[in-house]
Amino acid sequence: MTELTTLTLAEARDRLRKKELSSAELTAAHIEAVEKARPLNAFVLETPEIATQMAKASDARIAKGEGGPLEGIPLAIKDLFCTKGVRTTACSHILDNFVPTYESTVTSQLWRDGAVMLGKTNNDEFAMGSSNETSYFGAVQSPWRREGSNTPLVPGGSSGGSAAAVAAQLCLGATATDTGGSIRQPAAFTGTVGIKPTYGRCSRWGIVAFASSLDQAGPMAKTVRDAAIMLRSMAGPDAKDTTCADIAVPDYEAAVGKSVKGLRIGIPKEYRMDGMPPEIEKIWQQGCDWLKSAGAELVDVSLPHTKYALPAYYIVAPAEASSNLARYDGVRYGLRVPGRDISDMYEQTRAEGFGDEVRRRVMIGTYVLSAGYYDAYYLRAQKVRTLIKRDFEQCFDAGVHAMLTPATPTASFGVGEKGGADPVEMYLNDIFTVTVNMAGLPGIAVPAGSDAQGLPLGLQLIGRPFDEETLFSLSEVIEQAAGRFVAQRWW
Ligand code: GLN
């Protein structure tokens, strides 16, 4: 039975279609894997009854010769996606036992296409973090460990539960969101594939908002092909989100395996950082060589405003967060802590409901938006954002099809090891990923090698707006050359 959890999404789909396998069997194997993996803390809510029922309905549809592109496929859902009738908390105490009366557009499209829900995955509180340690439900442990060591490692964040669930083979894919790197960084840390599509590719309706001008949903999967299959179902126009683009969704899977001959790949010199581990340098060079042997042309490019991206992001994102999180006041959702009067009730509720990192963001955000500081910080950061976007546009206008960079400046690190004394230490994880959100571009992380301690390392490919297809073609070249990275089971 457990062998079924080693299938890729594409393999499982093909076997289900040929009726060599039932969704009931496939789902049961994954439910069992989820239960056995509780030490990872990847799930904050398991929904085995719902999964079993959905699997049964899928089998009935397959028997009738019906069924969608994801029919019978068990998936995990980040706890940032509202799921109708199923507790959704964004891993914050303030949402407590919130049970949405509606389904997010992205998840409703997955169910429309036949997918099966295994449960809700852990994440940093309101998706603020890079290690999944800010979750109200506690840290997630990566399925990866350093060779010869039992030190618990982080799976990255904020989508740490989704990353761990995919890497530990507890599901065939998972949804995630990415505001500054939350899909790509955990993918790189866990040897999985994660794509943040172009801003506007997936609807944000029904996803708990962090920073609305940066947030995007995307899949995390075992392979590039699996990510392509999932994204096709997740993406598409939605009248309920005015920032969701009215652009038809291509068949992403068709881009997997397509020749990359003649594509021009930019190598931005600003992504070569002082103090970067030599292993990251090495896999970056290796990635260049692989793409070159597949017929792509490499060109040196410059994105001169890169160094301002992280500081600007940590102004824009908290500013939007402070405004988005104003709605959690003890009146409409979740937690309410009684007070002397209504203002006191708001204060008590927010003080008790939000964790330290969220409070820090609300304070920073309120500060940079306040009269007198708005022009100095927020407005300036917005101008920097325009310059970052322009850097990319100039390269694309000059004929570059995509860029290749490292996904993260380091491999995964130990639980409790970073950011304790200085939160900026944690923020530095996002140095290669935030630029992509600031510019609204698509970015994919694909495993490309390991460090000396056996931990996976990822590369990032950044594409032109709405050209996720080129990213799938290019990342598959890297995947084919690098092979897959599967964690050894210790749980
Ligand atoms: N680590 C970044 C932050 O804490 C990005 C998080 C995300 O993409 N949701 O803001």
Side-chain angles (χ1 to χ4, degrees):
M1 201 82 144
T2 45
E3 179 243 335
L4 294 179
T5 60
T6 64
L7 295 173
T8 66
L9 189 157
E11 287 163 356
R13 174 196 61 183
D14 297 346
R15 283 174 65 169
L16 284 164
R17 278 188 189 159
K18 288 193 218 137
K19 303 203 177 92
E20 292 169 9
L21 176 68
S22 72
S23 176
E25 291 169 82
L26 184 67
T27 301
H30 284 92
I31 291 173
E32 195 189 313
V34 169
E35 283 171 5
K36 284 203 180 128
R38 286 193 186 134
L40 299 178
N41 201 23
F43 282 77
V44 295
L45 184 73
E46 296 170 16
T47 56
E49 293 86 9
I50 295 176
T52 306
Q53 243 174 44
M54 288 174 104
K56 210 171 138 193
S58 278
D59 284 334
R61 279 191 292 270
I62 295 169
K64 280 194 275 176
E66 296 166 4
L70 292 172
E71 200 62 60
I73 298 291
L75 299 178
I77 305 299
K78 185 177 183 178
D79 205 28
L80 223 62
F81 291 80
C82 285
T83 41
K84 190 175 173 183
V86 175
R87 190 190 74 182
T88 302
T89 68
C91 297
S92 178
H93 185 34
I94 212 155
L95 274 162
D96 211 30
N97 282 317
F98 174 57
V99 178
T101 53
Y102 41 84
E103 187 77 29
S104 83
T105 298
V106 163
T107 48
S108 72
Q109 291 176 179
L110 293 172
W111 316 141
R112 171 202 69 197
D113 286 354
V116 166
M117 177 167 77
L118 288 168
K120 306 293 292 283
T121 53
N122 207 337
N123 52 254
D124 279 298
E125 185 179 359
F126 284 108
M128 298 174 189
S130 309
S131 60
N132 211 123
E133 292 170 289
T134 73
S135 167
Y136 180 64
F137 296 98
V140 174
Q141 279 200 43
S142 174
W144 288 89
R145 287 189 162 170
R146 296 180 184 123
E147 266 160 25
S149 155
N150 285 334
T151 306
L153 301 179
V154 302
S158 67
S159 314
S162 292
V166 173
Q169 320 218 74
L170 313 181
C171 57
L172 293 176
T175 66
T177 60
D178 188 315
T179 304
S182 279
I183 291 176
R184 292 159 289 154
Q185 186 255 18
F189 276 15
T190 56
T192 57
V193 177
I195 180 165
K196 179 201 91 72
T198 314
Y199 185 79
R201 192 49 115 171
C202 292
S203 169
R204 289 181 298 107
W205 196 81
I207 300 174
V208 177
F210 167 6
S212 305
S213 77
L214 301 159
D215 297 344
Q216 250 311 278
M220 299 192 73
K222 294 178 180 179
T223 66
V224 172
R225 179 178 298 274
D226 289 0
I229 295 169
M230 270 186 81
L231 182 59
R232 190 182 187 188
S233 292
M234 292 168 73
D238 180 13
K240 291 194 226 145
D241 172 5
T242 52
T243 63
C244 186
D246 191 7
I247 300 178
V249 180
D251 177 1
Y252 293 126
E253 196 181 356
V256 179
K258 209 173 133 199
S259 166
V260 301
K261 210 166 252 154
L263 289 180
R264 302 188 75 197
I265 312 302
I267 309 299
K269 67 166 191 265
E270 291 77 8
Y271 284 61
R272 188 156 280 120
M273 314 286 292
D274 284 343
M276 200 158 76
E279 288 135 333
I280 305 260
E281 258 316 321
K282 210 176 108 204
I283 62 148
W284 195 10
Q285 188 51 51
Q286 178 68 264
C288 291
D289 296 343
W290 285 330
L291 293 181
K292 213 164 155 182
S293 7
E297 188 193 331
L298 301 179
V299 285
D300 288 325
V301 298
S302 173
L303 300 166
H305 296 92
T306 301
K307 60 174 174 292
Y308 304 115
L310 199 67
Y313 169 85
Y314 276 98
I315 289 173
V316 173
E320 293 186 21
S322 73
S323 143
N324 270 327
L325 269 54
R327 75 190 71 175
Y328 305 106
D329 54 9
V331 177
R332 279 165 298 182
Y333 317 89
L335 183 75
R336 173 181 296 181
V337 180
R340 287 187 308 277
D341 51 32
I342 189 157
S343 302
D344 194 44
M345 186 276 283
Y346 291 158
E347 284 172 17
Q348 301 286 348
T349 302
R350 288 170 67 83
E352 196 172 316
F354 290 141
D356 287 349
E357 185 58 30
V358 174
R359 269 188 272 183
R360 180 181 295 128
R361 307 278 180 121
V362 169
M363 285 191 275
I364 295 172
T366 311
Y367 179 79
V368 300
L369 289 174
S370 60
Y373 295 106
Y374 182 94
D375 288 357
Y377 294 106
Y378 184 70
L379 197 65
R380 236 183 142 144
Q382 291 289 35
K383 288 180 180 169
V384 169
R385 183 174 185 176
T386 304
L387 295 173
I388 292 165
K389 190 161 177 262
R390 194 176 301 161
D391 284 351
F392 281 105
E393 281 164 2
Q394 281 167 353
C395 292
F396 293 138
D397 288 348
V400 167
H401 295 98
M403 319 252 177
L404 181 72
T405 77
T408 56
T410 66
S412 166
F413 44 87
V415 174
E417 207 172 276
K418 267 194 189 175
D422 178 10
V424 175
E425 194 189 9
M426 191 64 83
Y427 300 168
L428 284 168
N429 263 288
D430 309 327
I431 198 131
F432 300 139
T433 48
V434 292
T435 49
V436 179
N437 302 74
M438 292 292 263
L441 301 171
I444 193 166
V446 60
S450 341
D451 74 357
Q453 295 168 305
L455 298 181
L457 297 170
L459 287 173
Q460 170 176 242
L461 284 147
I462 306 167
R464 294 177 174 182
F466 296 100
D467 187 16
E468 287 82 6
E469 288 164 286
T470 297
L471 299 186
F472 285 125
S473 305
L474 289 165
S475 53
E476 203 246 0
V477 170
I478 294 175
E479 180 180 61
Q480 287 298 323
R484 285 204 24 221
F485 294 79
V486 180
Q488 292 300 315
R489 216 172 111 182
W490 52 262
W491 54 92

